[in-house]
Amino acid sequence: MNALSDELRVELSGLCENRAAVYGLLSRLYCREADEILLCDLRNTSFPAKTGNDKVDAGYRKLATYLSGNPENALTELAVDYVNVFFGNGNLTYSAAYPFESVYTSEKRLMMQEARDEVLEAYRNAHMEIDRSWKDPADHVALELLYMQKQSERARDALDNEEFEEALEIFARQRDFFVNHLAAWTPMMTTDMKRIAKTEFYQGLAYLTEGFLQTDRGFLASVISQ
Amino acid sequence: MIDETVHQLSQDLAVVDPSEDNYDPLADISPEEQGLDDSLEAIGYIGNPGKLASKSEVPPALEKSPREKIDALFSNMLPFKRYLLSIMEFCREPRDFVQLDDFVSELQAKRRTIYSTVEFCLMLEDVGALSEITEDGAPYDETRAEPVEVERDGQVFLEPGDPPPLFWQITEAGSQVLKEDDPLKALQKIFEDEAPYKSVFLQILELCGQNGGVSINEIKEKANTNPVLERPRKTVQFFLDYLDRNNAVIWDDNWKISSVGKQALELLRTEVEAEAEAETPVHPKAQAEGETR
């Protein structure tokens, strides 16, 4: 990456900040069920209405619509739907949108397969370590999104410090992780989510995830080619 | 003969060369081998489960009336039936969340449950005993708020709208259930069904009727020695649970008799005394004197 003009550098840094924020939001929504603090924060959030991506727009609209509803029932309703979507309520292997890459990329839909080892290696190569409080496998979608969030923040910092080579390396790492992992399986998970989720909240999350990852793929391809 | 038998067996049990055995019990079976219709489109899964899913037949849902659903809820939530009935009674008038929450907190002041106000309300709403309404009495779902579009710096944003105030009120089905709820009648039926143990019920109710109520240890100490509890072996807790679930006794730092329990006690006392009198053998001379008179 050649040296950028100040204007472009600041714009790119701002974009990385926004990307980190969205990755962080998605990671939190997948990590565990919504609590009172999260719902309160979301109710005070302004969601972009026209981002240029139909799926992102649909996702934000569904989230905003759900959050316009009665707050008293929301916590319980969302807790029930979170379990319904990600844990399922049956013995069939297709009764939930399991948030683990291995389930979608292994032949027998099992957890803790090759994908988990590969993402662990990716985290280590980026000098990241999973906190001991995390009890789920390393290829949980929340962790993979968190990885992208952290990398986006690093890219922002590198740009702020005019470390362009470093920023380019980070974008390349993000692109590789995206292509080898996130893009390979999340469309299948979000398809399942749309089939299973009963609340507009988790329906919206599925659309938002699909649309945002589409947009970010385009961003990474474009910024690296420049 | 033996040679022939051995020869036949050796034909039947030919040794299979392991290296030639390609059988893999865990291998996926191809769609062709399964005889599936290739015209069905896959939806992007490993092994195309979409094809199998489309062939599955979901049986139609069993439709139950609100009354059947309410009865099923009470049956499944027996220890909490009194809480549910109390909430339904409280909701004869429309109640907002704060009023309901205060009421449920008071109900649970002496006996906490794992269920919150919202959870109780959602259970009752799910079975058709309560409904969500607006201030004007209209069904709540039809008046859901939509997000508000706000323009800032040339960009349009969606902000969650303010929902209209929510109230809960009992439905017709719920009112019917309350009307038919008769704890005294239910207790009488229990006393009939558990006839050999009437003396145990009587003992427990009398103990709970004492000033200040009675502790569980005291009930156990005084009533567990009742001979009817020996075979088959039962403990007083079993009978106390019956009385508790049917509102005959309440927990208020001690087990105390309720107004329903007092009525049940009187009825039971009368029954037990009548039965004791019926069983008392009459002296022949006394019987004769009685006949002469």
Side-chain angles (χ1 to χ4, degrees), chain A residues 12-216:
Chain A
L12 210 50
S13 169
L15 270 173
C16 287
E17 173 96 33
N18 290 342
R19 290 170 67 229
V22 181
Y23 273 119
L25 172 66
L26 293 176
S27 175
R28 169 58 187 89
L29 292 176
Y30 282 107
C31 179
R32 57 184 185 281
E33 57 265 29
D35 56 27
E36 214 166 314
I37 297 171
L38 176 70
L39 284 183
C40 193
D41 286 345
L42 288 175
R43 283 202 181 94
N44 292 323
T45 301
S46 303
F47 299 97
K50 293 178 174 79
T51 61
N53 183 293
D54 289 342
K55 289 185 178 175
V56 171
D57 293 346
Y60 279 141
R61 184 164 283 277
K62 285 183 184 289
L63 282 172
T65 304
Y66 183 84
L67 292 164
S68 304
N70 182 270
E72 278 94 24
N73 292 348
L75 271 179
T76 303
E77 211 170 56
L78 290 178
V80 169
D81 207 26
Y82 181 88
V83 170
N84 176 49
V85 172
F86 299 117
F87 290 84
N89 55 9
N91 294 326
L92 300 175
T93 51
Y94 302 101
S95 62
Y98 301 105
F100 306 102
E101 182 176 340
S102 291
V103 171
Y104 289 91
T105 56
S106 70
E107 282 192 19
K108 308 273 188 269
R109 280 181 70 85
L110 297 173
M111 288 167 57
M112 303 289 275
Q113 301 297 295
E114 275 177 40
R116 172 247 180 195
D117 298 337
E118 286 170 12
V119 298
L120 256 181
E121 199 182 323
Y123 301 156
R124 282 183 193 134
N125 289 341
H127 306 290
M128 288 186 189
E129 196 176 67
I130 301 176
D131 194 89
R132 279 178 198 183
S133 60
W134 181 261
K135 302 295 177 202
D136 282 315
D139 58 349
H140 193 292
V141 67
L143 267 190
E144 293 194 3
L145 291 165
L146 188 62
Y147 170 86
M148 294 295 277
Q149 179 198 353
K150 295 294 174 196
Q151 293 289 66
S152 300
E153 286 169 354
R154 285 182 181 178
R156 174 205 62 202
D157 294 342
L159 287 165
D160 288 345
N161 295 332
E162 297 185 26
E163 291 165 353
F164 301 117
E165 289 302 320
E166 171 74 13
L168 183 60
E169 251 183 61
I170 294 168
F171 287 136
R173 212 178 292 141
Q174 278 195 301
R175 190 248 345 248
D176 291 345
F177 188 84
F178 195 100
V179 166
N180 295 329
H181 296 289
L182 274 176
W185 70 282
T186 51
M188 291 187 271
M189 182 192 68
T190 52
T191 302
D192 279 343
M193 283 173 72
K194 287 180 203 168
R195 177 171 58 86
I196 295 165
K198 295 199 165 99
T199 60
E200 273 193 294
F201 190 89
Y202 286 106
Q203 288 275 341
L205 178 59
Y207 279 98
L208 179 59
T209 307
E210 273 180 13
F212 176 70
L213 292 183
Q214 264 174 11
T215 317
D216 209 44

Side-chain angles (χ1 to χ4, degrees), chain B residues 15-31:
Chain B
V15 174
V16 174
D17 182 351
S19 66
E20 291 173 356
D21 183 5
N22 294 324
Y23 176 59
D24 178 5
L26 296 178
D28 285 330
I29 304 171
S30 70

Side-chain angles (χ1 to χ4, degrees), chain B residues 241-281:
Chain B
D241 283 348
Y242 267 132
L243 296 172
D244 179 26
R245 285 173 195 174
N246 288 281
N247 217 20
V249 295
I250 51 173
W251 174 257
D252 181 14
D253 294 330
N254 254 346
W255 285 106
K256 296 176 182 173
I257 198 167
S258 66
S259 53
V260 169
K262 285 177 186 168
Q263 293 175 58
L265 175 59
E266 285 312 308
L267 286 169
L268 193 55
R269 228 180 230 147
T270 312
E271 271 180 37
V272 167
E273 281 167 8
E275 280 168 13
E277 218 175 278
E279 281 171 11
T280 307

